[in-house]
Amino acid sequence: MASAGPTSNSFISQRLKLHYVDWGNRGAPPLLLVHGGRDHCRNWDWVAEKLKGRYHIIAPDLRGHGDSAWSPDGNYDMDGFVYDLAQLIHQLDLGPISIVAHSMGGNIALRYTGLYPDNVHKLVAIEGLGPSPKVIAERAKTGYAERFRKWIDDKRQAAGRTPRRYATLDDALARMMGENSYLTEAQARHLTIHGISRNEDGTWSWKFDNYLNVWPAFDMPHADIAALWGAITCPTLLLYGANSWASNPEKDGRLEHFNTAKVIEFENAGHWLHHDQFDRFMSTLDEFL
């Protein structure tokens, strides 16, 4: 990046020390950038560079991600993530705030906004609605006890799994580029450098907690989640990549639960559309914010 970048800070949430970066400009309207699962706050650097002159930008590392602490019990339920977001906004006295969030971060931000609609000025959620109705219906065919047993088995496996080690930074970079073919090498290198730590033996491992790969077996009832979406009162953008695995809510019916939301689909983009089609994303963001 051309500038020196943001300053690193921390706050406490449920006894966890969580990290966030602050891009300065404190007198400007606050803007929160929330990353997705197994990602990190520096994934937003390109966006922050463009907007830092107009907004006071805060970008947190979610618990178990980046430079934030890992949950001691290895559990990462959505309630905890929503609490952390609420705690950050409360501690820094940021409300009412605008939020741009991706994937799991979008899921968290949507729930927070439904809980505290007066605290959010505008909301952009990039593929943040979670599993599609079709996927939810398929999962529901599996009984409660079977799902619970599978969760226990998966947790046991995670407990015995050591984080993957890469011999060189370039090996990790190749893994990053393999995950998203839309990324340029410069984008992938930036994301890799900020998303990886060096081990004592000189190898490299991703910063996120491996337990994040074990999603909780149970969540809020879907009707209650939809009710939170319906409680959102601020202007809301739901962005989707045409080539993503995520289901477009305008096509699967979930948009009906929103009162103030609009869906925009990006051609030639996957799940990380804010990287895949950066110029169009920024144009859309500028017009909306």
Side-chain angles (χ1 to χ4, degrees):
M1 306 302 293
S3 73
T7 58
S8 292
N9 302 268
S10 63
F11 72 106
I12 303 299
S13 179
Q14 296 180 315
R15 300 180 180 175
L16 292 183
K17 186 177 182 180
L18 304 181
H19 174 254
Y20 69 92
V21 294
D22 187 329
W23 287 82
N25 199 12
R26 290 180 178 270
L31 175 63
L32 195 65
L33 304 178
V34 188
H35 67 76
R38 297 184 299 178
D39 211 332
H40 53 80
C41 67
R42 302 304 297 272
N43 131 85
W44 294 110
D45 282 8
W46 295 278
V47 176
E49 286 281 357
K50 293 287 188 181
L51 298 179
K52 66 181 181 180
R54 294 159 46 198
Y55 298 94
H56 175 200
I57 296 175
I58 301 289
D61 277 326
L62 300 174
R63 62 170 60 197
H65 296 76
D67 294 315
S68 284
W70 294 2
S71 293
D73 60 1
N75 288 327
Y76 292 97
D77 56 49
M78 288 298 294
D79 293 352
F81 286 120
V82 174
Y83 181 91
D84 294 339
L85 187 66
Q87 187 72 347
L88 175 63
I89 293 172
H90 172 73
Q91 282 197 16
L92 299 186
D93 192 21
L94 295 173
I97 189 170
S98 294
I99 303 175
V100 179
H102 174 234
S103 194
M104 186 177 77
N107 200 326
I108 297 164
L110 285 161
R111 296 186 192 204
Y112 173 84
T113 305
L115 289 169
Y116 300 100
D118 292 341
N119 265 8
V120 182
H121 178 59
K122 290 186 178 180
L123 173 63
V124 178
I126 305 168
E127 305 205 348
L129 269 63
S132 68
K134 181 179 179 181
V135 170
I136 291 171
E138 284 297 317
R139 289 179 181 176
K141 295 178 181 178
T142 304
Y144 184 98
E146 185 177 345
R147 278 182 283 157
F148 211 146
R149 285 191 294 267
K150 184 179 186 307
W151 177 80
I152 291 173
D153 290 342
D154 289 345
K155 292 280 283 186
R156 283 177 179 156
Q157 291 180 16
R161 187 182 301 126
T162 57
R164 181 173 179 179
R165 298 188 172 215
Y166 297 86
T168 68
L169 190 64
D170 284 342
D171 290 337
L173 172 63
R175 177 69 181 89
M176 175 68 73
M177 295 189 72
E179 183 71 15
N180 183 2
S181 60
Y182 286 97
L183 291 175
T184 66
E185 183 173 351
Q187 286 176 314
R189 184 171 294 277
H190 181 82
L191 294 170
T192 300
I193 288 170
H194 288 288
I196 205 163
S197 293
R198 196 158 204 169
N199 300 306
E200 189 173 0
D201 64 356
T203 60
W204 301 83
S205 295
W206 301 113
K207 291 180 177 179
F208 65 81
D209 186 353
N210 268 342
Y211 276 92
L212 287 161
N213 292 315
V214 183
W215 195 247
F218 310 104
D219 193 6
M220 290 175 59
H222 300 298
D224 291 339
I225 296 174
L228 287 180
W229 295 342
I232 295 172
T233 57
C234 69
T236 302
L237 272 188
L238 305 175
L239 305 184
Y240 279 78
N243 299 329
S244 175
W245 50 264
S247 177
N248 185 318
E250 195 168 26
K251 300 174 182 177
D252 64 30
R254 288 178 294 174
L255 184 61
E256 296 175 1
H257 298 295
F258 291 84
N259 295 310
T260 60
K262 175 184 178 182
V263 175
I264 298 178
E265 187 172 272
F266 283 55
E267 295 181 357
N268 299 316
H271 184 55
W272 288 269
L273 63 86
H274 53 305
H275 297 323
D276 304 345
Q277 292 291 337
F278 178 72
D279 290 339
R280 184 185 173 191
F281 172 72
M282 289 306 306
S283 177
T284 301
L285 205 56
D286 283 335
E287 183 178 344
F288 178 71
L289 294 177

